[in-house]
Amino acid sequence: MATSLKSLSEYSSKNIVDISAKKFALVVSEWNEEVTEALYSGAYQTLIQHGAKKENIIRKNVPGSFELSLAAQWCAQDETIDAVICLGCVIQGETRHFDFICDAVAHGITNVSLKYNKPVIFGVLTPNTQQQALDRAGGKHGNKGDEAAITAIKMLGF
């Protein structure tokens, strides 16, 4: 959990593997674009920083976070893709819509990972407010996109 004591952009350098030959799909929700673009930037830059080649990073956009699961499945079924990173943001509203979307996306992404036996990373913010989202998308708590990219790298080295 991101708190004042932990930054999402800080990580251990243990189990960082060579990813120069690995291919990544970054699936990005267009909903809450200010936040998701920052998440994408963090993930992309972290992959590049750790040796991924630009031509091996594919970006796919989806309308909202709910669509991340199906898009992740389409990417994961491509045998040339080594890892899929799903980036989205669902902000708590006044209705239970938030609960249904977050639950469905978490289960969907998990199921895709298990079905295709490859890393499919949950880089989805589920904050209470827009400010909390911004704080976790390059703000005072770091960037969940960085964390998602590092998670993909480390899972490839498992």
Side-chain angles (χ1 to χ4, degrees):
M1 178 176 174
T3 67
S4 60
L5 302 176
K6 174 74 176 140
S7 170
L8 294 167
S9 297
E10 295 175 3
Y11 55 89
S12 166
S13 60
K14 294 178 183 174
N15 301 321
I16 301 292
V17 297
D18 178 9
I19 59 168
S20 60
K22 301 295 184 185
K23 192 170 181 181
F24 298 86
L26 277 68
V27 184
V28 184
S29 169
E30 295 172 343
W31 193 258
N32 292 314
E33 185 176 38
E34 179 181 9
V35 175
T36 60
E37 285 302 314
L39 296 174
Y40 170 78
S41 179
Y44 181 86
Q45 290 303 321
T46 297
L47 290 173
I48 294 295
Q49 175 187 343
H50 287 281
K53 295 180 181 166
K54 291 179 182 182
E55 62 269 19
N56 287 341
I57 302 173
I58 299 164
R59 178 182 174 145
K60 297 290 187 178
N61 291 340
V62 294
S65 290
F66 187 78
E67 291 76 28
L68 289 169
S69 299
L70 179 57
Q73 181 168 289
W74 288 340
C75 292
Q77 71 187 8
D78 180 339
E79 292 179 10
T80 69
I81 301 286
D82 296 293
V84 180
I85 301 171
C86 299
L87 302 170
C89 177
V90 184
I91 299 173
Q92 176 70 57
E94 297 177 2
T95 68
R96 294 189 55 216
H97 178 78
F98 172 87
D99 299 323
F100 294 115
I101 296 298
C102 294
D103 188 56
V105 174
H107 281 94
I109 290 171
T110 299
N111 289 338
V112 172
S113 186
L114 296 172
K115 179 178 180 178
Y116 288 96
N117 202 33
K118 64 176 69 174
V120 180
I121 308 304
F122 184 84
V124 180
L125 293 174
T126 57
N128 292 319
T129 67
Q130 176 79 10
Q131 187 57 54
Q132 287 177 343
L134 294 170
D135 288 345
R136 289 156 178 79
K140 69 181 182 179
H141 293 302
N143 192 320
K144 179 77 172 175
D146 297 342
E147 181 187 60
I150 289 298
T151 300
I153 293 167
K154 288 186 171 204
M155 288 304 293
L156 288 172
F158 183 78

